[in-house]
Amino acid sequence: MDLSAGKGKVFHILLIKPTRYDDDGYPIQWHRSSVPSNSLACLYGIAQDSANRRVLGDDVEIRIFSIDGNLVPVPRDGKEIGIAQIY
């Protein structure tokens, strides 16, 4: 089914792995973290599998965006990634 022609619905999934900074502006790194380092990749894989299996129905396109706050700044304007607003 071709959803690019404007038919069907679009469900956006935005995965953000945030980074916290200390008072001097350096990223806080934990010796042991409650969130594993591959958590973003795992969640992306689950979302991609859901999109491939069309768990929301054949008329719903799932678009997945992932941002790692350690690598790139998290945009406040969703237009950079193709959605109207992030937060």
Side-chain angles (χ1 to χ4, degrees), residues 17-39:
K17 182 178 178 187
T19 300
R20 297 189 61 194
Y21 296 91
D22 65 9
D23 294 336
D24 296 325
Y26 292 100
I28 296 174
Q29 297 179 350
W30 306 99
H31 176 66
R32 291 183 184 251
S33 176
S34 60
V35 179
S37 62
N38 68 338
S39 59

Side-chain angles (χ1 to χ4, degrees), residues 12-87:
H12 296 276
I13 298 176
L14 180 59
L15 303 171
I16 300 175
K17 182 178 178 187
T19 300
R20 297 189 61 194
Y21 296 91
D22 65 9
D23 294 336
D24 296 325
Y26 292 100
I28 296 174
Q29 297 179 350
W30 306 99
H31 176 66
R32 291 183 184 251
S33 176
S34 60
V35 179
S37 62
N38 68 338
S39 59
L40 185 64
C42 292
L43 289 174
Y44 190 91
I46 292 169
Q48 186 65 48
D49 179 58
S50 298
N52 291 341
R53 292 187 296 123
R54 299 226 174 252
V55 296
L56 298 179
D58 288 334
D59 63 335
V60 179
E61 176 187 3
I62 298 177
R63 294 183 187 167
I64 307 164
F65 304 94
S66 63
I67 300 171
D68 188 342
N70 287 321
L71 303 175
V72 295
V74 177
R76 290 194 175 270
D77 186 2
K79 294 175 188 170
E80 294 179 28
I81 58 173
I83 56 177
Q85 184 177 358
I86 294 177
Y87 54 91

